[in-house]
Amino acid sequence: MEVFKPEKLFGIIGHPLGHTMSPLLHNWGFSEHKIPAVYMAWPTEPEKVENFMQTFRNLPISGISVTIPHKLSVMNYIDQLTERAKSVGAVNTLYWKGDKIVGDNTDAAGVSEPLRPYSDQIKTALLIGAGGAARAAITGLQLLGINEIFITNRTKSKADDLAAEFKISVLDWDTRGDQHFDLIVNSTSLGMSGEFQEINPMIMDNQDANTIVFDLVYNPIETVFVKEAKAKGCTVIHGIEMFVHQGMEQFRLWTGKKLDEKKARKLLLDNL
Ligand code: NAP
């Protein structure tokens, strides 16, 4: 029997890390491309991040995915930030360039790539939510050249802060349903399995078949927002697309190889 001897080590840090699908995606990718590497889950409490980053520097670890709540704090322990990580203001991917640790962000690509086929038809976009995912979403929309971006959030001060930083406009939470948009992106937790599952983040009265809806929530796949958008005839992009594309971009950064998008999507959907 042939014994598998990994030559490269990758992993994800976050807290808690319970249900991450990243090991599934990347280990499948290594196997598809016959790359002798392994990807592990390293649950890391916030107070242990500094220690972990020291370990990264000293052990032969080739790359790391970074998730909540470490996307900001790891920036204190790296040597370079890519332009897109600077733009998002957060890091979700670490890799080596020579002896330097580079911090990058593929979450913005996770938003821009699924929308790219539609970019010509998007002039106005509404982003609902102003948390961590919203920062990547704004950068993703700006990467596509969408200039008329509105943000709305239950806590208006957070929308105001992001609007000032990214030079976009704010809509009051209570007026978010009052006009038509070419694109609506949900980056709130509304619709997620659990206590918010039945809450639709948007009032859809003014939307129609010309509206594209991208719900970043991926569990469940068919959120109440997605269901209502479909009933209105809108084009729908599911949250799993963001996960697929941010993961594909990480894999490319680490290996130079492309994951098969259709197979990656099926793998994740089968395991959700
Ligand atoms: P976050 O930083 O905690 O932000 C949560 C956002 O949801 C805030 O804007 C918050 O508004 C809003 N919100 C929470 N409860 C609400 C309520 N009851 N009514 C109205 N608004 C409410 O979280 P995040 O990291 O941005 O993640 C947000 C969502 O994106 C999650 O569902 C996550 O699963 C999803 N996501 C998906 C992917 C993917 O790969 N598809 C990647 C990242 C995140 P306030 O400011 O008023 O609290």
Side-chain angles (χ1 to χ4, degrees):
M1 198 178 77
E2 208 177 307
V3 180
F4 174 65
K5 284 197 194 139
E7 290 166 14
K8 286 191 168 179
L9 184 57
F10 297 83
I12 180 166
I13 60 166
H15 181 76
L17 254 191
H19 57 281
T20 173
M21 290 191 293
S22 295
L24 175 74
L25 180 71
H26 291 293
N27 284 322
W28 165 78
F30 294 145
S31 154
E32 284 282 290
H33 285 282
K34 304 198 174 8
I35 297 169
V38 69
Y39 182 107
M40 302 177 71
W42 293 309
T44 308
E45 290 161 6
E47 58 275 19
K48 303 220 170 109
V49 168
E50 184 174 0
N51 235 326
F52 180 88
M53 290 303 289
Q54 205 58 46
T55 307
F56 179 33
R57 231 171 243 289
N58 295 322
L59 288 182
I61 299 172
S62 301
I64 291 177
S65 308
V66 181
T67 189
I68 292 167
H70 307 319
K71 289 184 181 189
L72 298 180
S73 58
V74 292
M75 290 197 281
N76 295 320
Y77 310 106
I78 63 177
D79 305 310
Q80 286 177 19
L81 264 185
T82 61
E83 284 308 313
R84 59 186 177 179
K86 280 185 204 161
S87 171
V88 177
V91 156
N92 82 328
T93 309
L94 301 175
Y95 59 88
W96 289 98
K97 194 168 168 191
D99 62 353
K100 304 270 190 264
I101 297 176
V102 180
D104 201 346
N105 193 305
T106 68
D107 287 332
V111 174
S112 61
E113 292 320 294
L115 287 170
R116 195 170 290 284
Y118 309 100
S119 58
D120 286 350
Q121 64 198 75
I122 304 169
K123 302 284 177 269
T124 57
L126 173 67
L127 173 63
I128 312 175
R135 303 184 69 88
I138 299 169
T139 302
L141 300 186
Q142 291 181 331
L143 282 173
L144 292 173
I146 302 169
N147 294 319
E148 226 177 306
I149 303 173
F150 296 84
I151 184 167
T152 189
N153 193 50
R154 175 181 64 172
T155 309
K156 185 167 179 290
S157 57
K158 290 196 205 162
D160 288 337
D161 289 349
L162 285 189
E165 183 179 339
F166 288 92
K167 300 186 173 41
I168 60 176
S169 309
V170 182
L171 274 190
D172 281 342
W173 182 248
D174 293 339
T175 65
R176 67 196 187 286
D178 290 358
Q179 56 184 294
H180 177 271
F181 294 98
D182 300 328
L183 169 70
I184 303 169
V185 180
N186 173 39
S187 76
T188 72
S189 324
L190 297 180
M192 250 173 90
S193 73
E195 59 175 319
F196 299 137
Q197 183 153 347
E198 293 310 320
I199 306 178
N200 190 335
M202 186 60 181
I203 300 129
M204 295 293 283
D205 296 355
N206 287 305
Q207 312 311 319
D208 56 27
N210 294 317
T211 307
I212 299 163
V213 157
F214 190 176
D215 195 347
L216 302 191
V217 173
Y218 62 82
N219 188 8
I221 293 288
E222 295 292 314
T223 60
V224 279
F225 185 30
V226 159
K227 284 185 200 158
E228 193 172 342
K230 280 186 175 171
K232 284 263 168 193
C234 306
T235 299
V236 164
I237 302 174
H238 295 89
I240 196 75
E241 297 303 318
M242 178 176 179
F243 191 84
V244 168
H245 285 274
Q246 64 78 27
M248 285 176 65
E249 179 60 2
Q250 275 190 336
F251 194 83
R252 188 192 67 78
L253 286 170
W254 290 332
T255 66
K257 308 268 189 224
K258 194 172 185 304
L259 287 178
D260 183 310
E261 185 183 325
K262 278 193 188 148
K263 285 191 192 169
R265 182 179 297 112
K266 183 171 183 323
L267 175 84
L268 295 170
L269 286 173
D270 287 350
N271 284 278
L272 253 186

